[in-house]
């Protein structure tokens, strides 16, 4: 695909769409060519950085790298939500946002809870050296 | 109590208004319903991610992510999905401009990127299984194949849906029903890209990091 053609097409579509932007029939909010491209460029940057950090062994401390990877992933998810999924607090009278927040709460509890609990269980179930001596 | 009755006693006719037209806009309620479906799908992935988070270090003396994962391949795969997201965005812009063939063209491009993604993923799975690192090898690999495979299945069904919609648009044009369907698929497609961010960050990059 040629970038020129894409840009021209996108602008044409954007221009045509300008008229019904304020069409308030409750239609899902949609983006413009500019917002899609902004999202794409941001997402590309936020993808390239973590790959470069891991493949180039940039930080000697892997914990720093891990933190940066997860932080950038969260930022990229927000970028996708705004520029590709067109999330906002007004769509559907705020119900999509409410459903999203509820889901995020459940997701955080599920993920953090599982990893936390199971990590401690693993640590507590681990045979310690002195336990092994007692086994003989 | 008496206050609420008084207008009628003035001889005025009591009229009740509904706050909203009961005949709700179909597209609007569909968007919310489809969003709720995506949120429940999100919970499925959350559970699979939690599963991988718990089991992802249980190698059973088998291969580790560092030995198995091929990051350049994952990077190409990630690019495929990101490109397919932006081309779907172009398809939506063409749809809003009322351009049927432009919409079909960008949907086709999106589908090809999707097929490339699935092709690379199947190649990776095939390679892993031939190396003896199939889902039966260790808890790490079981949870890995379940999480990444579930995402791949979603993308595959997304491609199937895309092809069906392309046929619908080609035959019937950009009618209201098809616009609504394209809008739902766009949410689904972008949602899968969001899940993939979690996969490449949490599974591949963190896995190679050790």
């Amino acid at each position: 695909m040629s970038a020129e053609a894409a840009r021209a097409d996108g602008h044409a579509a954007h221009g045509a769409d300008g008229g019904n932007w304020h069409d308030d029939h409750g239609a899902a909010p949609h983006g413009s060519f500019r917002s899609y491209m902004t999202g794409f460029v941001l997402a590309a940057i936020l993808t390239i950085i973590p790959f470069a950090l891991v493949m180039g062994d940039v930080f000697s401390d892997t914990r720093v790298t891990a933190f940066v990877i997860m932080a950038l992933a969260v930022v990229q998810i927000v970028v996708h939500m705004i520029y590709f999924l067109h999330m906002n607090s007004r769509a559907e009278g705020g119900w999509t946002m409410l459903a999203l927040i509820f889901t995020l709460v459940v997701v955080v509890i599920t993920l953090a809870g599982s990893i936390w609990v199971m990590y401690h269980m693993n640590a507590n179930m681990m045979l310690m050296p002195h336990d092994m001596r007692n086994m003989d | 109590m008496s206050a609420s009755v008084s207008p009628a006693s003035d001889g005025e006719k009591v009229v009740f208004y509904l706050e909203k037209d009961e005949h709700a806009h179909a597209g609007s309620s569909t968007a919310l319903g489809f969003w709720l479906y995506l949120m429940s799908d999100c919970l499925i992935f959350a559970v699979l991610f939690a599963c991988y988070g718990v089991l992802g270090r249980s190698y059973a003396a088998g291969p580790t992510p560092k030995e198995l994962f091929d990051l350049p391949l994952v990077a190409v795969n990630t690019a495929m999905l990101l490109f397919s997201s932006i081309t779907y965005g172009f398809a939506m812009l063409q749809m809003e401009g009322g351009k049927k063939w432009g919409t079909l063209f960008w949907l086709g491009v999106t589908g090809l990127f999707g097929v490339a993604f699935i092709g690379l993923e199947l190649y990776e799975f095939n390679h892993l299984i031939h190396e003896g690192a199939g889902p039966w090898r260790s808890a790490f690999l079981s949870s890995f194949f379940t999480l990444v495979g579930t995402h791949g299945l979603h993308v595959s069904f997304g491609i199937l849906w895309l092809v069906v919609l392309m046929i619908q648009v080609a035959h019937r044009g950009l009618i209201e029903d098809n616009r609504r369907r394209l809008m739902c698929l766009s949410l689904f497609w972008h949602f899968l890209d969001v899940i993939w961010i979690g996969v490449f960050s949490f599974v591949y990059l963190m896995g190679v990091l050790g």
Side-chain angles (χ1 to χ4, degrees):
Chain A
M1 64 166 187
S2 108
E4 302 288 313
R7 197 162 296 133
D9 283 349
H11 272 307
H14 185 194
D17 136 321
N20 56 14
W21 179 259
H22 290 291
D23 159 13
D24 54 4
H25 275 288
H30 43 70
S32 62
F33 178 75
R34 186 189 295 271
S35 76
Y36 274 116
M37 280 319 277
T38 312
F40 177 73
V41 171
L42 284 176
I45 294 169
L46 290 166
T47 304
I48 290 168
I49 294 174
F51 271 97
L53 286 181
V54 175
M55 290 163 87
D57 273 329
V58 175
F59 299 118
S60 52
D61 189 348
T62 54
R63 278 173 306 177
V64 177
T65 317
F67 177 78
V68 174
I69 290 172
M70 292 324 283
L72 289 177
V74 171
V75 175
Q76 198 184 341
I77 287 173
V78 174
V79 165
H80 276 243
M81 287 280 178
I82 294 171
Y83 291 103
F84 291 157
L85 285 164
H86 314 302
M87 277 302 294
N88 62 55
S89 54
R90 297 176 309 281
E92 308 288 338
W95 284 104
T96 47
M97 186 55 97
L98 197 67
L100 176 68
I101 292 169
F102 174 67
T103 309
L104 285 180
V105 169
V106 177
V107 165
V108 167
I109 292 174
T110 311
L111 275 176
S114 304
I115 292 168
W116 180 35
V117 169
M118 295 306 287
Y119 172 77
H120 280 271
M121 208 174 80
N122 273 345
N124 289 329
M125 297 293 278
M126 201 85 78
L127 283 178
M128 294 293 141
H130 66 269
D131 294 326
M132 292 212 208
R133 277 199 300 278
N134 294 341
M135 282 169 73
D136 293 331
Chain B
M1 183 66 78
S2 62
S4 66
V5 187
S6 59
S9 62
D10 291 346
E12 259 179 65
K13 197 177 174 193
V14 181
V15 185
F16 294 99
Y17 292 98
L18 290 175
E19 285 264 327
K20 277 188 179 166
D21 189 0
E22 244 188 307
H23 188 73
H25 196 263
S28 171
S29 56
T30 306
L32 179 57
F34 195 76
W35 183 255
L36 292 181
Y37 154 70
L38 286 182
M39 290 300 99
S40 67
D41 220 13
C42 192
L43 294 182
I44 292 179
F45 280 107
V47 171
L48 293 177
F49 270 110
C51 220
Y52 181 84
V54 169
L55 300 173
R57 301 284 154 118
S58 308
Y59 306 130
T64 63
K66 214 169 192 153
E67 297 157 15
L68 289 178
F69 294 159
D70 180 14
L71 278 191
L73 185 74
V74 181
V76 173
N77 233 351
T78 306
M80 290 299 122
L81 213 52
L82 190 55
F83 281 133
S84 80
S85 256
I86 186 74
T87 55
Y88 201 106
F90 292 154
M92 289 301 278
L93 292 174
Q94 293 288 309
M95 184 197 87
E96 277 147 24
K99 296 193 188 66
K100 176 178 157 183
W101 294 106
T103 311
L104 281 173
F105 171 74
W106 286 114
L107 285 180
V109 174
T110 307
L112 289 180
F113 278 124
V115 168
F117 173 84
I118 289 297
L120 286 172
E121 193 162 283
L122 287 178
Y123 165 78
E124 188 200 14
F125 280 9
N126 187 43
H127 181 69
L128 288 179
I129 289 170
H130 273 284
E131 278 190 351
W136 55 85
R137 183 60 190 85
S138 61
F140 148 62
L141 282 162
S142 302
S143 55
F144 166 78
F145 273 91
T146 312
L147 171 58
V148 181
T150 304
H151 179 269
L153 267 182
H154 275 77
V155 176
S156 305
F157 280 102
I159 294 170
L160 181 65
W161 187 2
L162 188 93
V163 171
V164 171
L165 273 188
M166 282 177 72
I167 296 169
Q168 288 261 19
V169 171
H171 276 262
R172 300 174 171 222
L174 293 169
I175 56 173
E176 185 63 35
D177 284 342
N178 281 342
R179 286 167 181 264
R180 193 186 66 235
R181 290 164 188 153
L182 284 170
M183 185 269 300
C184 284
L185 180 58
S186 101
L187 290 177
F188 186 71
W189 199 263
H190 294 307
F191 167 77
L192 289 181
D193 204 8
V194 170
I195 298 295
W196 184 253
I197 298 170
V199 174
F200 81 71
S201 302
F202 190 60
V203 177
Y204 287 101
L205 291 178
M206 299 284 271
V208 170
L209 211 56

